Amino acid sequence: MTRPKLIASRWSSRMAFILASTAAAVGLGNIWKFPYITGENGGGAFVLVYLLCIAVIGIPVMMAEIIIGRRGRHSPGIAAREVAKESGRSSLWQITGWLGMATGFLVLSFYAVIAGWAAAYVYESGAFQGQSVAQISGVFDQLVSSSLRLTVWHAIVLLAVAVVVGKGLKDGLERTVRWMLPIMVGLLILIAIYAASIGDFSSAMSFMFAPNFADLSINGVLLALGHAFFSLGLASGVVIMYGAYLPRETSIVQTTLWVALADTFVALLAGLAIFPIVFGSQLAPEAGPGLIFKTLPVAFSTMPGGVLVGTAFFVMLVIAAFTSAIAMIESAVAFLEEKCDWGRWKATIVAVFSLWLLGQVTIYSFAGAPWTQIDWQVPGKTLGSWFDLIDYATGSILLPLGGLLLAVFSGWIMTRSASQDELDTNPTLFRLWLFMVRWLAPVIIAIIFMQLIGVLNF
């Protein structure tokens, strides 16, 4: 059996990789999820634990994924297989890459639906002006309960994804993130400045950066650990795939640090854009997942220039979701190109159409279709729909399991000489990285995993 042809595409520069990887990492997790889980878990103490975990878990595992991708020069599953073979290990270790690819595809199946929510809110934001809390909440409820409206917005998002991804690495992904990421960050900075001027900035700063560990539970610590790991887009096939396109002369250590810093900066900036408005409008910071789609529009409806600010906010959210979506589908498209010997456009159309079909499960789950409703008990919650099951399976099982396999694969399965050759750093830094992926990351990820599935109960 002949080995598959190596992927020939490369990022045009280190900056292109940093921009693309940052754009992939900076998504709904940073702007939608990070603020509300910070609000639910006491603010400053949660942020501090989150930052520590980015440093000791997120960065080392991200380096490991880039190493696997650049060493293997294939889509994630095939890359992991080739690296395992090179290391004299069983080809069964290719499950490390396949699991990440499958997980990323499942996540994207509902992620693209939520991106459709944000796109719909760009269109709807002008209607929030002067509306009551109940009326604004009703806008969201009507949106998610309408399978037709969700299908249309979902299709619009995926059509845009197809147009970009079909053009290839340089003409599609790279060219798009070069202008989209600066626009997104620029809008976020402008909104943060506006929020500081009209909202309660001092309360927001105190809430986010004055740790009160009495407000942080053990479950909150584990949530911070998990979010720090997953906010970088790890264990979803993205980083391995982007690593496969990384030129040999580019430093993995330096680029990873830049991506982690940029991703963390955007997450904190999102908090500074949202919490001054929340506190200034006497709203609840612990409003949960509805913070973006139900709570903030209430503030936008009453503040000066609220229509303009609200529209800008949801445009920024759409861009964040879109740049992550084009990253998450890339490994599936590259795999179809490799395995089926298809052209770029054919592979893109098949991947996007498959994703559209799978997204119907989420759409009809929100709409309450009887065939999507279930009643399954899992640790700490009841799953009421197929969407709940996909969300639970990816977030609580597949992502942490994938992260654990990645740490074990890079630390124990891949040869030390191969990983040292790829990192190309001084011996002290290499030994520190190796310790983290061999011992620290697996232990912490295993604890998170066991707590999420109910084996550990704090």
Side-chain angles (χ1 to χ4, degrees):
M1 181 179 176
T2 59
R3 290 193 171 187
K5 188 177 179 180
L6 293 174
I7 285 177
S9 298
R10 297 288 183 271
W11 300 109
S12 62
S13 64
R14 184 179 76 164
M15 182 54 66
F17 173 78
I18 291 172
L19 287 173
S21 299
T22 302
V26 174
L28 293 175
N30 296 72
I31 299 169
W32 172 52
K33 190 173 183 180
F34 178 74
Y36 87 71
I37 60 174
T38 300
E40 289 178 331
N41 291 278
F46 179 87
V47 171
L48 182 60
V49 173
Y50 168 78
L51 294 176
L52 288 172
C53 293
I54 285 285
V56 301
I57 301 175
I59 290 173
V61 174
M62 189 174 189
M63 289 180 186
E65 288 206 57
I66 297 173
I67 288 171
I68 295 168
R70 192 166 74 177
R71 195 75 178 181
R73 294 294 190 197
H74 290 288
S75 57
I78 301 174
R81 184 186 71 193
E82 296 302 299
V83 172
K85 283 183 178 179
E86 181 194 38
S87 302
R89 303 288 188 157
S90 170
S91 61
L92 292 176
W93 278 101
Q94 66 186 290
I95 188 63
T96 305
W98 293 119
L99 183 63
M101 242 178 72
T103 303
F105 202 77
L106 282 172
V107 169
L108 187 53
S109 75
F110 64 81
Y111 193 100
V113 175
I114 298 173
W117 295 358
Y121 265 54
V122 174
Y123 179 76
E124 298 275 4
S125 57
F128 296 139
Q129 198 69 18
Q131 298 292 303
S132 67
V133 174
Q135 287 172 320
I136 290 172
S137 180
V139 170
F140 179 75
D141 294 338
Q142 288 171 14
L143 173 65
V144 299
S145 64
S146 172
S147 55
L148 177 60
R149 289 177 66 194
L150 284 184
T151 297
V152 169
W153 286 111
H154 179 233
I156 290 171
V157 169
L158 289 181
L159 181 62
V161 167
V163 169
V164 170
V165 175
K167 291 180 178 179
L169 182 69
K170 291 183 179 178
D171 291 336
L173 276 75
E174 187 174 320
R175 181 174 293 177
T176 300
V177 299
R178 279 186 182 275
W179 63 268
M180 272 197 167
L181 184 63
I183 289 175
M184 184 198 72
V185 175
L187 285 172
L188 194 54
I189 290 172
L190 289 174
I191 294 167
I193 293 170
Y194 178 84
S197 65
I198 63 100
D200 191 344
F201 185 70
S202 62
S203 293
M205 288 292 290
S206 177
F207 180 74
M208 287 187 63
F209 300 113
N212 182 359
F213 288 95
D215 294 334
L216 185 65
S217 66
I218 293 296
N219 283 337
V221 171
L222 292 172
L223 186 61
L225 291 171
H227 189 68
F229 182 78
F230 306 136
S231 70
L232 290 172
L234 306 180
S236 62
V238 172
V239 180
I240 292 180
M241 192 68 252
Y242 276 16
Y245 299 137
L246 189 67
R248 183 66 182 85
E249 64 275 10
T250 303
S251 167
I252 290 177
V253 175
Q254 292 178 12
T255 51
T256 303
L257 290 174
W258 277 113
V259 172
L261 285 171
D263 177 71
T264 304
F265 168 74
V266 172
L268 296 176
L269 187 61
L272 292 176
I274 291 169
F275 286 123
I277 296 173
V278 168
F279 285 112
S281 302
Q282 285 80 52
L283 300 172
E286 66 277 7
L291 181 65
I292 297 295
F293 293 102
K294 287 187 175 183
T295 304
L296 276 184
V298 173
F300 293 145
S301 71
T302 58
M303 67 173 60
V307 173
L308 180 61
V309 175
T311 302
F313 181 85
F314 287 109
V315 167
M316 178 268 300
L317 192 62
V318 169
I319 293 174
F322 183 77
T323 54
S324 292
I326 61 177
M328 282 193 279
I329 202 172
E330 174 63 21
S331 57
V333 172
F335 166 69
L336 290 174
E337 285 185 283
E338 283 187 300
K339 188 69 175 177
C340 304
D341 196 25
W342 288 350
R344 180 74 177 187
W345 280 106
K346 183 177 180 179
T348 300
I349 291 168
V350 170
V352 168
F353 182 70
S354 302
L355 193 63
W356 181 84
L357 286 176
L358 189 55
Q360 301 308 302
V361 175
T362 294
I363 287 171
Y364 281 91
S365 292
F366 284 122
W371 64 271
T372 66
Q373 304 306 295
I374 60 176
D375 185 16
W376 291 3
Q377 295 293 324
V378 297
K381 66 172 73 175
T382 300
L383 305 180
S385 69
W386 280 100
F387 162 72
D388 292 337
L389 178 61
I390 295 172
D391 186 33
Y392 175 78
T394 53
S396 298
I397 298 175
L398 298 179
L399 280 171
L401 182 60
L404 183 61
L405 285 173
L406 282 165
V408 171
F409 183 86
S410 59
W412 297 98
I413 302 305
M414 190 175 181
T415 62
R416 180 169 177 155
S417 60
S419 54
Q420 193 164 17
D421 177 54
E422 290 296 328
L423 276 185
D424 192 24
T425 188
N426 70 67
T428 302
L429 278 178
F430 176 77
R431 285 193 295 270
L432 177 62
W433 171 82
L434 193 62
F435 169 76
M436 287 179 171
V437 294
R438 276 188 169 182
W439 301 103
L440 197 58
V443 168
I444 294 175
I445 295 170
I447 291 171
I448 296 170
F449 181 45
M450 289 187 288
Q451 198 273 339
L452 287 170
I453 64 174
V455 175
L456 293 179
N457 210 353
F458 295 103

